[in-house]
Amino acid sequence: MLWRRRGRARREERAVNVLVVDDHPIVLQGCRRVLEDAGVEAVHEATGVVAGYRSFRRHRPAVVVADLTFQGNTLSGLELIRRIRAVAPETRILVFSMHDDPVIVARALESGATGYVLKDTASGDLYHAFERVQAGETYLDPALAAEVALLRAARPDPLAALTLRERQILALLGAGRSHGAIAEDLAVSYKTVANACSQMRRKLGARSLADLIRIGVREGERAR
């Protein structure tokens, strides 16, 4: 097939480090085959959220391909996405899921996913999605994109004014992390965290740090 020939032709151009997190061996095998055809030389695998996060911290892949549901633990992949983006916002995350509900798709994107592709898609579509995400672009199936757009129009994002870094800090505040702990988690200075909190208070109309923390807690619960 053309997409396979094109992937093999690019094998020498790219040495991408990729992590695949899924608890189905057949899915892992299929993803590995597609990624290798796309020229990926290092494919790491994990079968759960905890193992996936540990593997991420160990290998620091440029791209993560992850499911959202693991062994009956509904949508626990969302927490994995949030944890990865909190410590490495530059990481590209492609969700590979059976869920086609636009609410779930929107939650994955809000959590930090940069692409979303359905498991019943053709191998060529998964290859294309990976290529787009790896190149720094966002990928979403056109039909899903239209449904998510309608959903967002009906339910505006209250955090739309925040930057990605501010969202990460807000999420960590909502999880009970102190300024110092957040600075350590994100590898930034204490002053950077404090300044971001001041900016968020202004943008969100929070009168105090306690108000800001409450917003963080509320948004964390809404995303679950």
Side-chain angles (χ1 to χ4, degrees):
M1 298 175 66
L2 176 59
W3 63 271
R4 286 192 175 183
R5 291 198 299 271
R6 184 174 58 200
R8 283 193 291 269
R10 294 180 180 176
R11 190 178 300 275
E12 298 302 323
E13 298 179 12
R14 186 192 307 121
V16 182
N17 189 15
V18 178
L19 169 64
V20 181
V21 188
D22 197 292
D23 58 2
H24 292 85
I26 294 177
V27 173
L28 289 174
Q29 181 181 6
C31 283
R32 174 179 287 276
R33 183 177 300 113
V34 170
L35 293 171
E36 288 176 346
D37 283 330
V40 177
E41 295 184 359
V43 181
H44 309 287
E45 298 176 354
T47 57
V49 171
V50 174
Y53 186 68
R54 288 175 178 168
S55 183
F56 171 79
R57 294 301 295 261
R58 178 181 179 184
H59 300 291
R60 290 290 179 162
V63 181
V64 175
V65 180
D67 195 0
L68 293 181
T69 304
F70 295 88
Q71 297 179 348
N73 191 351
T74 304
L75 301 183
S76 59
L78 292 175
E79 180 59 26
L80 175 63
I81 294 170
R82 286 192 287 267
R83 293 185 68 185
I84 289 174
R85 293 306 296 269
V87 299
E90 74 282 358
T91 302
R92 313 298 296 175
I93 303 175
L94 175 63
V95 172
F96 189 43
S97 172
M98 65 179 182
H99 297 290
D100 60 359
D101 186 331
V103 173
I104 294 176
V105 178
R107 286 171 64 182
L109 298 175
E110 290 165 3
S111 296
T114 43
Y116 197 108
V117 64
L118 297 175
K119 283 190 173 180
D120 61 1
T121 191
S123 298
D125 292 332
L126 175 57
Y127 171 88
H128 178 62
F130 171 77
E131 288 277 281
R132 292 275 299 275
V133 168
Q134 191 275 326
E137 303 173 21
T138 299
Y139 177 84
L140 195 57
D141 177 88
L144 284 179
E147 293 187 50
V148 170
L150 289 173
L151 179 68
R152 286 178 167 174
R155 189 197 65 183
D157 182 3
L159 307 183
L162 302 187
T163 66
L164 176 58
R165 178 65 80 191
E166 288 169 345
R167 285 174 179 255
Q168 292 165 346
I169 292 173
L170 182 64
L172 291 171
L173 281 174
R177 304 289 282 172
S178 67
H179 282 30
I182 293 172
E184 184 177 350
D185 287 345
L186 300 182
V188 298
S189 69
Y190 182 96
K191 183 177 181 180
T192 295
V193 176
N195 288 342
C197 288
S198 296
Q199 290 294 324
M200 286 190 290
R201 285 176 56 186
R202 179 182 59 79
K203 291 178 179 180
L204 300 176
R207 291 176 294 180
S208 65
L209 178 61
D211 282 347
L212 193 61
I213 292 173
R214 280 192 285 271
I215 293 172
V217 171
R218 184 180 67 239
E219 291 303 317
E221 291 174 347
R222 188 178 70 87
R224 288 189 175 92

